[in-house]
Amino acid sequence: MTTTSPAPAAVDADRWPDVARVPRARLRATAARALARYAARRAGVRITTVGTPEPGGVRRPADARQRADVGQWGDARQRGEACDPGGVRITIPGAPDPDDVRQGAEVGQRGEARAPGDTRYPVGAQDPGEDAPVLRLHDPDAFHRRLGSDGLIGLGESYMAGEWDSPDPVALLTRLAEHYTDLVPRPLQPLRHITLPRRVRGERNTRAAARRNIGHHYDLSNDLFALFLDRTMTYSAALFDGPGPRDPDTLAAAQERKIDRLLDAVGAGPGTTLLEIGTGWGSLALRAARRGARVTTVTLSTEQRDLAERRLAAAGAGGAVDVRLLDYRDVDGEYDAVVSVEMIEAVGEHDWPTYFSALNRLVRPGGRVGLQSITMDHRLMRASRHSYTWMHKYVFPGGLIPSVTAIERQVRERTSLRVVDRHAFGADYADTLLVWRRSFDAAADQVAELGFDPVFRRMWDFYLAYCEAGFRSGIIDVEQILLERAR
């Protein structure tokens, strides 16, 4: 599906300083060109060039630029080296043999598919074929400079700037995620931890930092979220009932099914005292109140708090639900059950012990805790825990997706809780994101009317596509995890 968000005609440098500014990074750009070709071959992705900017803003046809490249630097490519216009040559460990480079490196740039059975691909490479995902470069120089300077942050910023796109960004990002461990030659993989941005050591989600981080995302605009969420205003994975259409109506039913499964698991019913950590816009609290539960729900988002209170009052459930603008660390009391849907991802690794200790403290002996959490493989979590990513910079600052292993370790070491049930449904999250992305793209004009510029709209498109690809590839998952406190 092609994004409907146009490339920005101009970038507001005050609002988007790092999108407006292209890094110099000539040497790194040279390496990035070679690595991009290597990654495309490994993943079976076609890279095409739509056009490249020339001095004065004139665009030269892509194949003309490529012919110049081949003629000027063909000798370097025959040796498995990458060249930039300054004549710098970099040999990439793991580069294909000279014949592959001479006959095939430019093929990826032109987007030509090799015939099945062509043996010019190095061992381990994927033959893209005619149906391969396509990365379409509009400004190859800027793209490679950003990629070389900032890695995946640069990839996202380049998309925001309109320097590349794809006829199907989810298919492209899914293919890259499926080959994540193969995209960089093995001898160079240790360098990622040296050359790419890192998070500040000891960074903590203090109360002030947590409120600031939550506000960065959830206080953008209730009207914005209403444009792409379903009628329940639920902003987490839905649980679909088997195959079938994926649209706003089936999504709403799937969201209610997800909520009901979690409420059933913790035994929410008439007279139950229920604590919800992370209010959202009140959909779970409302369904719990309709069961007869007495609900306390806490959030750090003023926008969410205000709309949740209005929605609950309009539904006649205001008297059964107490919505508080409060950090989970400051909640007191004891409840029959606690639920928390996709909030742990914002807690941060340093504060996981505090979070799980709070869950243990806030649920009565014999009571249950229902968590819904995005998860990732434990080895991948450990490898990426200190990375500073595009998602941290633009969408969800301060968080970390946990692994199931990490959750189970915190439960075992910090609480008297035990895991009694787990249910994974990552494919349903991919479909949830598909509906959100379609709805967001269909509402492009309304998003603009709310004051969100083309750079923001491309950022949001990339965010939704990036997440959908994560779930479709299986690199991340989502689970409902049921915990029970010892009596």
Side-chain angles (χ1 to χ4, degrees):
M1 176 178 175
T2 304
T3 176
T4 59
S5 297
V11 176
D12 183 343
D14 292 331
R15 174 69 180 87
W16 309 101
D18 290 342
V19 179
R21 181 183 65 250
V22 178
R24 294 179 64 86
R26 289 287 184 182
L27 186 61
R28 287 191 173 204
T30 301
R33 282 189 185 89
L35 289 172
R37 290 196 300 270
Y38 177 92
R41 287 191 295 270
R42 299 293 293 186
V45 167
R46 288 193 294 136
I47 301 178
T48 68
T49 305
V50 176
T52 53
E54 296 295 313
V58 178
R59 286 185 177 270
R60 179 188 297 179
D63 53 358
R65 169 68 175 266
Q66 290 159 356
R67 285 195 298 272
D69 286 351
V70 175
Q72 188 170 354
W73 300 308
D75 59 334
R77 285 179 176 160
Q78 290 178 27
R79 291 190 295 272
E81 300 170 352
C83 258
D84 74 358
V88 177
R89 292 174 177 170
I90 296 179
T91 301
I92 302 299
D97 60 45
D99 183 63
D100 175 66
V101 176
R102 183 179 65 253
Q103 300 183 39
E106 293 80 24
V107 167
Q109 293 180 0
R110 292 194 302 271
E112 300 171 3
R114 285 188 169 138
D118 192 318
T119 59
R120 285 177 292 174
Y121 282 94
V123 175
Q126 301 289 316
D127 184 342
E130 293 182 359
D131 297 327
V134 175
L135 191 156
R136 204 159 46 193
L137 293 176
H138 296 279
D139 189 338
D141 182 61
F143 172 83
H144 290 115
R145 282 197 274 164
R146 292 185 195 271
L147 193 65
S149 177
D150 297 309
L152 292 181
I153 292 179
L155 179 73
E157 289 177 340
S158 184
Y159 186 85
M160 293 163 69
E163 294 158 1
W164 72 271
D165 64 16
S166 173
D168 189 343
V170 172
L172 171 67
L173 295 170
T174 299
R175 180 68 64 85
L176 293 174
E178 288 170 342
H179 295 271
Y180 176 76
T181 58
D182 300 324
L183 298 182
V184 175
R186 200 167 293 275
L188 296 184
Q189 289 181 8
L191 297 179
R192 288 187 293 193
H193 300 294
I194 301 172
T195 60
L196 297 181
R198 307 286 283 170
R199 300 170 77 168
V200 177
R201 288 277 183 176
E203 179 183 58
R204 292 196 56 185
N205 273 325
T206 63
R207 285 164 175 78
R211 183 164 293 194
R212 183 173 59 251
N213 290 340
I214 292 298
H216 173 87
H217 188 86
Y218 296 97
D219 287 345
L220 280 169
S221 164
N222 287 332
D223 292 335
L224 170 69
F225 287 99
L227 288 174
F228 70 92
L229 299 181
D230 64 89
R231 58 175 171 78
T232 71
M233 287 290 288
T234 306
Y235 192 35
S236 53
L239 182 61
F240 289 92
D241 186 18
R246 300 297 190 248
D247 56 43
D249 290 333
T250 60
L251 177 58
Q255 293 290 12
E256 291 171 343
R257 184 177 300 108
K258 176 271 301 290
I259 292 171
D260 288 343
R261 187 185 190 281
L262 200 60
L263 293 176
D264 288 343
V266 299
T272 301
T273 57
L274 176 71
L275 171 66
E276 179 188 25
I277 300 176
T279 304
W281 287 276
S283 52
L284 186 147
L286 175 58
R287 290 189 77 78
R290 286 175 172 167
R291 292 177 172 223
R294 301 192 306 276
V295 183
T296 299
T297 179
V298 298
T299 179
L300 293 179
S301 166
T302 55
E303 289 281 311
Q304 288 189 330
R305 187 270 315 271
D306 293 347
L307 183 54
E309 287 182 335
R310 294 197 298 271
R311 295 181 72 222
L312 290 162
V321 181
D322 181 14
V323 184
R324 301 180 185 176
L325 193 66
L326 189 66
D327 193 288
Y328 73 90
R329 288 166 283 202
D330 297 323
V331 179
D332 54 19
E334 193 173 79
Y335 297 83
D336 297 328
V338 178
V339 291
S340 186
V341 176
E342 295 179 27
M343 184 271 182
I344 186 176
E345 301 88 340
V347 168
E349 183 179 14
H350 190 279
D351 292 291
W352 285 346
T354 304
Y355 176 76
F356 282 95
S357 296
L359 297 178
N360 189 67
R361 169 176 58 84
L362 292 166
V363 69
R364 64 168 175 79
R368 289 188 160 190
V369 175
L371 296 182
Q372 182 166 309
S373 174
I374 301 172
T375 62
M376 70 166 66
D377 176 78
H378 189 64
R379 287 174 298 178
L380 181 58
M381 185 206 80
R382 288 182 57 83
S384 62
R385 68 208 297 189
H386 299 304
S387 299
Y388 181 64
T389 68
W390 180 88
M391 198 69 74
H392 289 130
K393 185 172 182 177
Y394 288 101
V395 186
F396 292 115
L400 176 67
I401 295 174
S403 66
V404 173
T405 298
I407 291 173
E408 291 177 333
R409 181 174 298 164
Q410 291 294 325
V411 168
R412 183 173 61 252
E413 296 178 356
R414 306 287 176 177
T415 77
S416 58
L417 302 165
R418 65 185 181 92
V419 177
V420 296
D421 184 60
R422 288 174 48 195
H423 178 67
F425 53 111
D428 288 31
Y429 214 151
D431 287 348
T432 302
L433 284 150
L434 170 65
V435 179
W436 289 348
R437 186 166 52 90
R438 286 174 173 169
S439 297
F440 180 80
D441 288 345
D445 291 343
Q446 296 98 307
V447 174
E449 289 170 3
L450 291 175
F452 294 100
D453 67 11
V455 177
F456 176 91
R457 299 199 296 276
R458 288 184 66 85
M459 178 195 78
W460 208 261
D461 269 321
F462 188 75
Y463 151 56
L464 295 175
Y466 187 89
C467 292
E468 183 181 340
F471 288 104
R472 294 213 183 278
S473 68
I475 202 169
I476 52 177
D477 203 346
V478 64
E479 294 200 14
Q480 286 189 355
I481 302 173
L482 181 63
L483 311 171
E484 186 174 82
R485 185 178 172 188
R487 294 184 182 274

